[in-house]
Amino acid sequence: MYSSPSQDVTKPLSLNKTVFLGSAIISILLIIWTIAFPDYSETLLSSSMAWVSDKFGWYYMLVVAAYSIFALFVGFSKYGDIKLGQDHEKAQFPFLAWAAMLFSAGIGIDLLFFGASEPLMHYLTPHTGLEPASAEAMRQALAQTFLHWGLHGWGIYALIGMALAYFAYRKNMPLALRSPLTPIFGERLIKGWLGDGIDTFGVVCTLMGIATSLGIGVLQANAGLTHVFGIESSKMVQALIIVGVVVAAAVSAMTGVEKGVRRLSEFNMLSSILLLLAILVMGNTVYLLNTFTQNIGQYFQTIIYKTFDVYAYDGTAGADWKSGWTIFFWAWWVAWAPFVGLFIARISRGRTLREFVFGVMFIPLGFIFAWFSIFGNTAIDLVANGATALGETAVNDAAMGMFALFEYFPYSEVLSFAGVIIGLVFFVTSADSGALVLANLSSRGMTNDTDAPVWLRLFWAAATGLITLGLLFAGGFASLQSVSV
């Protein structure tokens, strides 16, 4: 039977030069390439995305389903009793703080970007076989949105996170991507070139996933500043936003998980709940509660079919829709999995596997159901009753969707300002937790309860900002979407 080596956790903490230099060189080359050849890089990224979706779309659909099924199996089985730590250990963080960090690290600013816009897009430009702006498109819009943000994505996080946490806290190994693969490949390879390759790949994947989300965050923040303060939407403004957020993220990352990341996450969760309740109370409350209930039923009623629907019988139109939506989201969740999986493993010591699986998969899910139902159904109801400008804004400029929605409410300026602040703090939370994870992955001699040195966190915070800038200048949202896949 495999047993963990004790020497892995007794080495002094130092920089893993192979992982650091390898991932840094790849990242620098990517920045130079995207900025030097923006048109060519956008074309290549877009064609690569289409090729991957066409040839491997079926694979994405199958493995994402398998991840969720396996995670749920562990949670319901006898293995769920296993403690992530010593049997007597208590949870490292209180439940609400833990839930807040799950929420902030796993979702981030994307809720603000897609909250009203994605349901509206599914309503106005649905996949093949549905009539735009029809009653059936209205019913299916939220079920499709829930699919992209629901159990499947959180199942990916749960799978990666529980594997990392189990080997770190039960086998006393470093909290690194290579650790769970030691029983398969053996200590010699995992300590050598193969382990370095795994962690390098994890760093690059994490950078691409975070850059995609932060790029979306920049567009959202710029849209909010334009709407509230009339600040021009431009590459220069977006660059200044990235610099400001990276500086704030670096300061937060320096304080560690227990202070900076935790407190910002708690602020995010509380302020988001207040904003959600404001829309619920000021909107058509009874209608929103009814649609919330029905949306949940529609999601679970259609989840099996939608999980395996690759639009094989819908021709080119179906393939294009799948590539731009479902495959993009699955790739995005997978790209974020090394980062979020490692981060939630870092904050989950002392919990059982059952607590971990159900917490990761269902705590954020409840909030996602409420958020998209309230924002999405409010927007759809307004458009269905004549607010055509809102629909046009959501389809043509998704970042402005939430702010355009606020215009139909009292105190719209207050709501928009709150949206800008929440978005910026979400932005900082994703960047600082990402910098922490990237620094840990590129260190050697990590134990399961230590973090990388401050200078390394600062480096990765800056690198994340530079890559986001490069992708935005290479082609905006299209490049961000393509590079994730």
Side-chain angles (χ1 to χ4, degrees):
M1 181 180 293
Y2 172 77
S3 61
S4 61
S6 60
Q7 62 266 33
D8 276 358
V9 295
T10 58
K11 294 179 180 179
L13 181 62
S14 62
L15 178 68
N16 187 326
K17 294 182 180 179
T18 303
V19 174
F20 176 77
L21 292 176
S23 52
I25 290 170
I26 293 172
S27 303
I28 291 170
L29 291 176
L30 177 62
I31 295 169
I32 294 172
W33 176 62
T34 51
I35 294 178
F37 308 102
D39 295 334
Y40 175 73
S41 60
E42 181 180 5
T43 301
L44 181 61
L45 288 170
S46 298
S47 60
S48 299
M49 175 180 174
W51 183 84
V52 169
S53 178
D54 181 51
K55 302 300 182 184
F56 295 99
W58 60 271
Y59 170 78
Y60 271 102
M61 305 298 273
L62 286 177
V63 297
V64 167
Y67 296 158
S68 300
I69 292 169
F70 180 78
L72 289 172
F73 164 77
V74 171
F76 281 109
S77 72
K78 63 181 181 180
Y79 304 110
D81 295 327
I82 296 174
K83 180 72 72 72
L84 297 174
Q86 301 303 311
D87 292 337
H88 64 275
E89 281 191 72
K90 294 183 179 180
Q92 181 182 5
F93 291 98
F95 179 80
L96 288 179
W98 182 62
M101 287 188 282
L102 288 178
F103 168 79
S104 294
I107 305 174
I109 197 173
D110 313 308
L111 275 184
L112 304 180
F113 187 93
F114 289 101
S117 296
E118 183 177 346
L120 270 177
M121 287 189 223
H122 294 323
Y123 172 61
L124 296 172
T125 58
H127 61 78
T128 56
L130 290 179
E131 182 183 348
S134 63
E136 184 60 25
M138 186 182 294
R139 278 192 292 270
Q140 293 292 336
L142 270 297
Q144 190 68 47
T145 302
F146 283 2
L147 177 77
H148 295 156
W149 295 90
L151 287 171
H152 296 78
W154 294 98
I156 297 171
Y157 290 170
L159 176 68
I160 301 299
M162 73 167 121
L164 291 167
Y166 176 80
F167 279 87
Y169 305 136
R170 295 295 294 191
K171 298 294 184 180
N172 201 33
M173 297 180 69
L175 187 57
L177 294 176
R178 67 177 73 194
S179 295
L181 297 175
T182 305
I184 299 174
F185 297 106
E187 294 176 23
R188 183 170 174 271
L189 285 176
I190 288 298
K191 289 180 180 178
W193 64 268
L194 181 60
D196 289 338
I198 290 167
D199 284 342
T200 300
F201 181 74
V203 169
V204 175
C205 280
T206 298
L207 276 170
M208 296 305 101
I210 295 175
T212 303
S213 189
L214 295 188
I216 290 173
V218 170
L219 298 176
Q220 179 73 34
N222 199 165
L225 293 175
T226 301
H227 186 79
V228 177
F229 301 109
I231 297 175
E232 178 187 5
S233 180
S234 66
K235 299 294 185 186
M236 179 60 68
V237 172
Q238 291 165 9
L240 292 174
I241 292 172
I242 290 175
V243 171
V245 167
V246 166
V247 170
V251 173
S252 177
M254 289 168 60
T255 64
V257 176
E258 289 76 8
K259 294 180 180 179
V261 178
R262 174 181 173 178
R263 298 308 178 194
L264 288 175
S265 298
E266 290 171 342
F267 172 84
N268 282 339
M269 187 169 73
L270 178 60
S271 56
S272 298
I273 290 173
L274 292 175
L275 183 61
L276 186 66
L277 290 175
I279 299 300
L280 175 63
V281 171
M282 292 191 292
N284 190 346
T285 306
V286 174
Y287 168 77
L288 292 176
L289 293 175
N290 283 333
T291 54
F292 170 67
T293 304
Q294 184 165 330
N295 292 337
I296 295 174
Q298 185 83 6
Y299 169 67
F300 285 108
Q301 182 182 356
T302 60
I303 189 171
I304 295 178
Y305 172 73
K306 288 182 177 294
T307 294
F308 299 100
D309 186 7
V310 295
Y311 304 96
Y313 303 109
D314 295 315
T316 303
D320 291 342
W321 195 93
K322 174 190 69 176
S323 174
W325 282 106
T326 306
I327 298 302
F328 162 65
F329 273 101
W330 287 174
W332 192 5
W333 286 98
V334 170
W336 264 54
F339 152 49
V340 179
L342 198 149
F343 181 76
I344 61 179
R346 170 68 177 80
I347 64 175
S348 298
R349 182 164 191 160
R351 300 194 177 274
T352 65
L353 277 174
R354 183 171 294 111
E355 286 179 299
F356 183 90
V357 169
F358 292 157
V360 171
M361 294 187 71
F362 290 101
I363 290 174
L365 184 68
F367 187 86
I368 284 171
F369 282 168
W371 185 274
F372 281 107
S373 283
I374 292 172
F375 275 86
N377 279 116
T378 297
I380 289 173
D381 185 49
L382 287 168
V383 171
N385 286 282
T388 55
L390 173 59
E392 292 172 0
T393 299
V395 171
N396 297 321
D397 187 3
M400 285 294 295
M402 181 183 72
F403 300 108
L405 175 65
F406 289 155
E407 288 299 310
Y408 294 87
F409 285 84
Y411 311 108
S412 60
E413 295 84 359
V414 176
L415 293 175
S416 295
F417 182 74
V420 171
I421 297 301
I422 293 169
L424 289 173
V425 177
F426 263 131
F427 202 170
V428 173
T429 306
S430 296
D432 65 4
S433 52
L436 179 68
V437 167
L438 290 167
N440 287 356
L441 283 175
S442 51
S443 296
R444 192 187 301 276
M446 291 289 299
T447 67
N448 51 42
D449 57 358
T450 60
D451 289 319
V454 169
W455 74 265
L456 195 53
R457 300 180 222 171
L458 297 178
F459 171 85
W460 285 119
T464 303
L466 288 174
I467 288 183
T468 304
L469 271 175
L471 291 174
L472 280 172
F473 278 90
F477 184 68
S479 290
L480 293 168
Q481 200 173 16
S482 300
V483 78
S484 181
V485 177

